Amino acid sequence: MKLLCLLFLVSLSLSTSVSVFKKNSSLQFGYITSLTGSFIASGSIPVVDLALKLINERNDLLENYTLGYTDFLDSKCSYTSSLDQFFKLVNRNATILALLGCGCSTATIPVAEISHYWNIPQVAFASSSLALFDRHRYRNFFRTIIAQRFIGTALAQLMVEFGWKQMGVITQDEALFQNTLVSISTAFKTRGLVLNGYVIKTGGSLDPFFARNDAMNFRINKINAYPSFSYQVLCKAYYRGMYGSKYVWILPMWYAPDWWKTVSSGNCSCTDDIMLQMLNGIMGVVPEGFFPLENESIVTYSGLTSRIFADQYHFLLQEPKYENLTELGIAGLAFDAVWAIAVGLDIASKKILFGNETGCEKLSGEIAPLEYFNYTNKKLGCILKQSFSEVNFLGITGDIAFTLNGSRLDNVILCRQYRSSGTTVNIMTFGRVTVESQRSIFKFLKGESNTSLWIGGSPPYDGYPVDRLHSNHIVLVVIYSLTAGCGIVFAVLCLTFNIVYSNKKVLMANNAKLNYLIILGSAVLYISVFFFSYTPYNPKTQEVFCNSRSRLFSLGYNLCFGVILSRTWRIYYIFSNIKAKKKVGIKNWMLLLIIIGIVLIDLIIIFTGRIKHAIVRDQEHPLVVDDNGRIVHYFVVICNSSIISELFSFGYKGILQLCAIFMAFHMRNVNVKALNESKEIAAIIYINSIVLVMLGVTEFVLDRSHNAYAALFGLGLLIDATLFLGFTFIPKIFNVYFNPHGGKLFTNTKIGKSMQSKVAPERIQDEDHCKIKNTSCSIGTLQ
């Protein structure tokens, strides 16, 4: 192959010399590139020379003209150096008709902003900054390199494709990369992705990026920099342990093939073996058209295929005059840029030949052959600009045609990956992202998939905290559910007892019908325990649970406590009015009406405040690393309602509790077995007061500590439900067992000393007896 290339170059030189001999006029363009600095493009010189040889030997292109450049100037990839070289160039005696330059974007931007004042078109092959899209500022600017306008969109699409949500990015403080960072930030924000970025000056310390507290949490990292900077970052990452199958590094994919080698980078901190470890699996995106055509059999406008071009380029780099130059990964773009200048000048020469000045008639200057061009001839400058805008040919890197902003089409982005085997590194294109007006689409290329892309066949974890809903401890749920189940069984037993023995005197004396409400209320409290202990994962179910919690609690509590309060009031009413000779009878519906009123008022308060669920950070387990190395943020469901309605609800219950305590305290010395359950009722009221305080504190203080909240609130519900049932039915069960016929109901009756002077025991006994016998009483009838 080398022999063939040598023969080709020899024949090319001979044919070129012949053609040059035939052409009688010389045209020159300026050539400014970055031979030194942060981006080195000296490797473009051999392909520029190769392109000129091929151009000058053709008779169908720039007939009667030879094309060349004066010399190559070094912009140093610097803003000021580039301007300095440009002014030196235009102030020479030799006039240039176009400018090839000026290397990197930083050097190109200032010259592109002023080159139109000299009426010369400027063609760049290594300046992909998004800023150069502004046609009002960069009027005569063209470029064969594909602008990286959709790099951010392509990266965002890859993030979505692989299930990633966050990425770290380290950016070199250069215009090209700053603009790319803006593109990435915009695309990520649109998709709701997290971008953690650092901008570091060239030559600055990398420690701020690696010293972040969460640096190790970002498993997907993008390097937005020139090759030498990227080398330093990867080397630093190696010593930090940030490599291997758990990490993905994303690079610009336009670097030269050997950029990672110690000799090429000029950095000795890492060996080639280390960099080979780092490179394997590194991926990146690059616009289609950055590199020579993949189809190596297509003959381009230059007469070369992409394979022949690559072979010739590598052969030229071995020649003595080129051997110290750095190989350029985008050499094909430089080659096509020279051809674009030649084609543009050829179009302009034909327009001049036929006197075609359409669109430029009103500008100063005369139509003259290209060799008579000067920087003040605006008419010829206009024709040159129009001609370059009409360039259209098949280049080594694809179709070369310029849009209205002087760039090539850039909506297809290639996705590539480094794959190393031993000491060999291959770059494989595994997919492409096509950016459309309303969406972007990613597709794997034939033969590529997640299996070929990732070790293990699935994308690595990106380090983004996994949000999980932390349910209450399973032991708590099981114990409380079983206990509540036992409570419901107890309620069923009490119901059975109340039905079977409803005709017993001990139950008739205390109105057995109200006991059904206590049983129902206690069962509701037991059921509500499950709603407080179990955490559903479905959002709709969460909303149902939140609304059920407070309403079931209020319903069950008020049913039970309403019965206790009404009975307490009955006793208080009787014994606080014992001097009256006759009282209006206390009917069943009166007590029932009191209970219904108590229940309805609290339910109205509860339903008035809108109850909704919210997902908040778990205070008990804020951050956990699971067995798979994933960072897990645990969240819990809390039920939020209006704080005013909650205060009113608990305040209302507290007022009822105070009323009950007041009446129970005044009736503490009453002990009439048949008539009331004063001792049991008092015990219920006093114990329930403590439970209610505990429930209030739990509701307002511990709502975000889900296990503690569920444990204490559930415990309070269990205590209350069992308290109401136990103190209501257990004494009656014993009374029925030991006194089945109720013969002792009117014995052992006593009243406290404060009552003995006011009422005779015989009178109370007769009044109780009339209740059971269903006769009229002066104190009140209960049936």
Side-chain angles (χ1 to χ4, degrees), residues 209-244:
F209 179 77
F210 287 99
R212 297 168 298 159
N213 293 330
D214 57 351
M216 300 295 287
N217 296 343
F218 283 84
R219 307 293 179 84
I220 315 300
N221 291 283
K222 171 80 168 69
I223 303 177
N224 204 18
Y226 289 121
S228 59
F229 189 96
S230 295
Y231 184 99
Q232 297 174 39
V233 174
L234 292 178
C235 187
K236 194 96 171 179
Y238 174 82
Y239 290 111
R240 295 283 183 132
M242 296 173 65
Y243 69 97

Coordinates of all heavy atoms in Angstrom, one line a residue, residues 209-244:
F209 N -13.2 20.2 40.8 CA -14.1 19.2 40.2 C -14.1 17.9 41.0 O -15.1 17.4 41.3 CB -13.8 19.0 38.8 CG -14.6 18.0 38.1 CD1 -15.9 18.4 37.7 CD2 -14.2 16.7 37.9 CE1 -16.7 17.4 37.0 CE2 -15.0 15.8 37.2 CZ -16.3 16.2 36.8
F210 N -12.9 17.5 41.3 CA -12.8 16.2 42.0 C -13.0 16.2 43.5 O -13.2 15.2 44.1 CB -11.4 15.5 41.7 CG -11.3 15.0 40.3 CD1 -10.6 15.8 39.3 CD2 -11.8 13.8 39.9 CE1 -10.5 15.3 38.0 CE2 -11.7 13.3 38.6 CZ -11.1 14.1 37.7
A211 N -12.9 17.4 44.1 CA -13.0 17.6 45.5 C -14.4 17.8 46.0 O -14.6 17.9 47.2 CB -12.1 18.7 46.0
R212 N -15.4 17.8 45.1 CA -16.8 17.9 45.5 C -17.2 16.8 46.5 O -16.7 15.7 46.3 CB -17.7 17.9 44.3 CG -17.4 19.0 43.3 CD -18.2 18.7 42.0 NE -17.7 17.5 41.4 CZ -18.4 16.8 40.5 NH1 -19.6 17.2 40.2 NH2 -17.9 15.7 40.0
N213 N -18.0 17.1 47.4 CA -18.5 16.1 48.3 C -19.2 15.0 47.6 O -19.2 13.8 48.0 CB -19.4 16.7 49.4 CG -18.7 17.7 50.3 OD1 -17.5 17.5 50.5 ND2 -19.4 18.7 50.8
D214 N -19.9 15.3 46.5 CA -20.7 14.3 45.8 C -20.0 13.9 44.5 O -20.7 13.3 43.6 CB -22.1 14.8 45.5 CG -22.0 16.2 44.7 OD1 -20.9 16.7 44.5 OD2 -23.1 16.6 44.2
A215 N -18.7 14.1 44.3 CA -18.0 13.8 43.1 C -18.1 12.3 42.7 O -18.3 12.0 41.6 CB -16.5 14.2 43.2
M216 N -18.0 11.5 43.8 CA -18.1 10.0 43.5 C -19.5 9.6 43.2 O -19.7 8.5 42.7 CB -17.6 9.3 44.7 CG -16.1 9.6 45.1 SD -14.9 9.0 43.8 CE -15.0 7.3 44.0
N217 N -20.5 10.4 43.4 CA -21.9 10.1 43.1 C -22.2 10.3 41.7 O -23.2 9.7 41.2 CB -22.8 10.9 44.0 CG -22.6 10.6 45.5 OD1 -22.1 9.6 45.9 ND2 -23.1 11.5 46.3
F218 N -21.4 11.1 41.0 CA -21.7 11.3 39.6 C -20.9 10.2 38.8 O -19.7 10.3 38.6 CB -21.3 12.7 39.2 CG -22.3 13.7 39.6 CD1 -22.2 14.3 40.9 CD2 -23.3 14.2 38.7 CE1 -23.1 15.2 41.3 CE2 -24.2 15.1 39.2 CZ -24.2 15.6 40.4
R219 N -21.6 9.3 38.2 CA -21.0 8.2 37.5 C -20.9 8.5 36.0 O -20.1 7.8 35.3 CB -21.8 6.9 37.7 CG -22.0 6.5 39.2 CD -20.8 6.2 39.9 NE -21.0 5.9 41.3 CZ -21.4 4.7 41.8 NH1 -21.6 3.7 40.9 NH2 -21.6 4.5 43.1
I220 N -21.6 9.4 35.5 CA -21.6 9.8 34.1 C -21.0 11.2 34.1 O -21.5 12.1 34.6 CB -23.0 9.8 33.5 CG1 -23.8 8.6 33.9 CG2 -22.9 10.0 32.0 CD1 -23.1 7.3 33.5
N221 N -19.8 11.3 33.4 CA -19.1 12.6 33.4 C -18.7 13.0 32.0 O -18.2 12.1 31.2 CB -17.9 12.5 34.3 CG -18.2 12.5 35.8 OD1 -18.6 13.4 36.4 ND2 -18.1 11.3 36.3
K222 N -18.9 14.2 31.6 CA -18.6 14.7 30.3 C -17.4 15.7 30.4 O -17.3 16.5 31.3 CB -19.8 15.5 29.7 CG -19.5 16.3 28.4 CD -19.5 15.4 27.2 CE -19.5 16.1 25.9 NZ -18.3 16.9 25.6
I223 N -16.4 15.4 29.5 CA -15.3 16.3 29.5 C -15.4 17.2 28.2 O -15.6 16.7 27.1 CB -13.9 15.5 29.4 CG1 -13.8 14.6 30.6 CG2 -12.8 16.5 29.3 CD1 -12.5 13.7 30.5
N224 N -15.4 18.5 28.5 CA -15.7 19.4 27.4 C -14.4 20.3 27.2 O -14.3 21.4 27.8 CB -16.9 20.3 27.9 CG -17.6 21.0 26.8 OD1 -17.5 20.5 25.6 ND2 -18.4 22.0 27.1
A225 N -13.5 19.7 26.5 CA -12.1 20.3 26.5 C -11.3 19.8 25.3 O -11.7 18.9 24.6 CB -11.4 20.0 27.8
Y226 N -10.1 20.5 25.2 CA -9.2 20.0 24.2 C -8.5 18.7 24.7 O -8.5 18.4 25.9 CB -8.2 21.1 23.9 CG -8.7 22.3 23.1 CD1 -8.7 23.6 23.6 CD2 -9.3 22.1 21.8 CE1 -9.2 24.6 22.9 CE2 -9.8 23.1 21.1 CZ -9.8 24.4 21.6 OH -10.3 25.4 20.9
P227 N -7.8 18.0 23.8 CA -7.2 16.7 24.2 C -6.3 16.7 25.4 O -6.3 15.9 26.2 CB -6.5 16.3 22.9 CG -7.2 16.9 21.8 CD -7.7 18.3 22.3
S228 N -5.4 17.7 25.4 CA -4.4 17.8 26.5 C -5.1 17.9 27.9 O -4.7 17.4 28.9 CB -3.4 18.9 26.3 OG -4.0 20.1 26.2
F229 N -6.1 18.7 27.9 CA -6.9 18.9 29.1 C -7.6 17.6 29.5 O -7.7 17.3 30.7 CB -7.9 20.1 28.9 CG -8.6 20.5 30.1 CD1 -8.2 21.6 30.9 CD2 -9.8 19.9 30.6 CE1 -8.8 22.1 32.0 CE2 -10.4 20.3 31.7 CZ -9.9 21.4 32.4
S230 N -8.2 17.0 28.5 CA -8.9 15.7 28.8 C -8.0 14.7 29.3 O -8.4 13.9 30.2 CB -9.6 15.2 27.5 OG -10.6 16.1 27.0
Y231 N -6.8 14.6 28.8 CA -5.8 13.7 29.3 C -5.5 13.9 30.8 O -5.5 12.9 31.6 CB -4.5 13.9 28.5 CG -3.4 12.9 28.9 CD1 -3.1 11.8 28.1 CD2 -2.6 13.1 30.0 CE1 -2.1 10.9 28.4 CE2 -1.6 12.2 30.3 CZ -1.4 11.1 29.5 OH -0.4 10.2 29.9
Q232 N -5.4 15.1 31.2 CA -5.2 15.4 32.6 C -6.4 15.0 33.5 O -6.2 14.4 34.6 CB -4.9 16.9 32.8 CG -3.7 17.4 32.1 CD -3.6 18.9 32.2 OE1 -3.9 19.5 33.3 NE2 -3.2 19.6 31.1
V233 N -7.6 15.2 33.0 CA -8.8 14.8 33.7 C -8.9 13.3 33.9 O -9.1 12.8 35.0 CB -10.1 15.4 33.0 CG1 -11.3 14.9 33.7 CG2 -10.1 16.9 33.0
L234 N -8.6 12.6 32.8 CA -8.7 11.1 32.9 C -7.6 10.6 33.8 O -7.9 9.6 34.5 CB -8.6 10.6 31.5 CG -9.8 10.9 30.6 CD1 -9.6 10.3 29.2 CD2 -11.1 10.3 31.1
C235 N -6.5 11.2 33.7 CA -5.4 10.7 34.5 C -5.7 10.9 36.0 O -5.5 10.0 36.8 CB -4.1 11.4 34.2 SG -2.6 10.8 35.0
K236 N -6.3 12.1 36.3 CA -6.7 12.3 37.7 C -7.8 11.4 38.1 O -7.8 10.9 39.3 CB -7.2 13.8 37.8 CG -7.3 14.3 39.2 CD -6.1 15.1 39.6 CE -6.3 15.8 40.9 NZ -5.1 16.6 41.3
A237 N -8.7 11.1 37.2 CA -9.8 10.2 37.5 C -9.3 8.8 37.8 O -9.9 8.1 38.7 CB -10.8 10.2 36.4
Y238 N -8.3 8.4 37.1 CA -7.7 7.1 37.4 C -7.2 6.9 38.8 O -7.5 6.0 39.5 CB -6.6 6.8 36.4 CG -5.9 5.5 36.7 CD1 -6.4 4.3 36.2 CD2 -4.7 5.5 37.4 CE1 -5.7 3.1 36.5 CE2 -4.0 4.3 37.7 CZ -4.6 3.1 37.2 OH -3.9 1.9 37.5
Y239 N -6.5 7.9 39.3 CA -5.9 7.8 40.6 C -7.0 8.1 41.7 O -6.8 7.8 42.9 CB -4.8 8.9 40.8 CG -3.6 8.5 40.0 CD1 -3.2 9.2 38.9 CD2 -2.8 7.4 40.4 CE1 -2.1 8.9 38.2 CE2 -1.7 7.0 39.7 CZ -1.3 7.8 38.6 OH -0.2 7.4 37.8
R240 N -8.2 8.6 41.3 CA -9.3 8.7 42.2 C -10.2 7.5 42.2 O -11.2 7.4 42.9 CB -10.2 9.9 41.8 CG -9.4 11.3 42.0 CD -9.4 11.7 43.4 NE -8.8 13.0 43.6 CZ -9.3 14.0 44.3 NH1 -10.4 13.8 44.9 NH2 -8.6 15.1 44.4
G241 N -9.9 6.5 41.3 CA -10.7 5.3 41.2 C -12.0 5.5 40.5 O -12.8 4.6 40.5
M242 N -12.1 6.5 39.7 CA -13.3 6.8 39.0 C -13.2 6.3 37.5 O -13.2 7.0 36.5 CB -13.6 8.3 38.9 CG -13.8 8.9 40.3 SD -14.0 10.7 40.3 CE -15.5 10.9 39.4
Y243 N -13.1 5.0 37.4 CA -13.0 4.3 36.1 C -13.5 2.9 36.3 O -13.8 2.4 37.4 CB -11.6 4.3 35.6 CG -10.6 3.5 36.3 CD1 -10.3 2.2 35.9 CD2 -10.0 3.9 37.5 CE1 -9.4 1.4 36.5 CE2 -9.1 3.1 38.2 CZ -8.8 1.8 37.7 OH -7.9 1.0 38.4
G244 N -13.6 2.2 35.1 CA -14.2 0.8 35.1 C -15.6 0.8 34.7 O -16.2 1.8 34.2

